């Protein structure tokens, strides 16, 4: 082979090596791009999940506040009911005593 043929074969070899290098480089760039997209998507998903978690925590706090208020109202109503029951018992006892006194004094029980 003469120098011209060796130069041509060398140029072809260098061209093939460049093409293979470019192909490998492009694949690496594609992988990096996909990896970036995956990481960006993952970051967005994590942000969305954290926002959802924070909303649920806020809702839980509000529900617990309303539950405490409902229990307080129920306790107040029970206290009112107990006071009314005591008043009914006292009035019934007094009515019984008054009827007995009326009978003792010669009257008729109504």
């Amino acid at each position: 082979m003469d120098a011209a043929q060796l130069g041509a074969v060398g140029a072809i070899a260098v061209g093939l090596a460049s093409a293979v290098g470019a192909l490998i480089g492009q694949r690496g760039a594609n992988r990096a791009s996909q990896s970036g997209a995956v990481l960006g998507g993952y970051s967005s998903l994590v942000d969305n999940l954290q926002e959802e978690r924070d909303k649920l925590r806020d809702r839980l706090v509000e529900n617990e506040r309303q539950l405490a208020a409902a229990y307080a109202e129920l306790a107040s109503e029970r206290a009112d009911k107990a006071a009314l029951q005591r008043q009914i018992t006292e009035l019934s006892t007094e009515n019984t005593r008054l009827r007995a006194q009326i009978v003792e004094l010669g009257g008729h029980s109504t």
Side-chain angles (χ1 to χ4, degrees):
M1 278 198 192
D2 62 0
Q5 287 178 338
L6 283 177
V9 169
I12 291 173
V14 168
L16 288 174
S18 295
V20 168
L23 182 62
I24 292 172
Q26 183 62 34
R27 283 186 178 175
N30 286 342
R31 283 189 196 134
S33 173
Q34 289 173 350
S35 176
V38 168
L39 290 177
Y42 177 75
S43 177
S44 176
L45 177 62
V46 168
D47 290 344
N48 290 342
L49 290 174
Q50 288 174 344
E51 287 177 18
E52 186 68 22
R53 182 195 60 209
D54 292 343
K55 287 178 188 176
L56 291 175
R57 281 186 182 160
D58 292 344
R59 185 172 165 192
L60 177 63
V61 167
E62 178 62 20
N63 283 354
E64 287 177 346
R65 185 194 64 76
Q66 289 178 354
L67 182 61
Y71 274 125
E73 184 177 344
L74 180 61
S76 174
E77 289 176 2
R78 285 181 179 167
D80 291 346
K81 182 179 177 182
L84 287 173
Q85 189 63 44
R86 279 191 302 275
Q87 185 179 8
I88 288 169
T89 302
E90 290 170 1
L91 290 172
S92 295
T93 302
E94 185 177 1
N95 284 350
T96 302
R97 184 184 57 79
L98 291 173
R99 283 191 178 102
Q101 282 182 337
I102 290 172
V103 170
E104 286 178 11
L105 296 173
H108 295 284
S109 176
T110 55

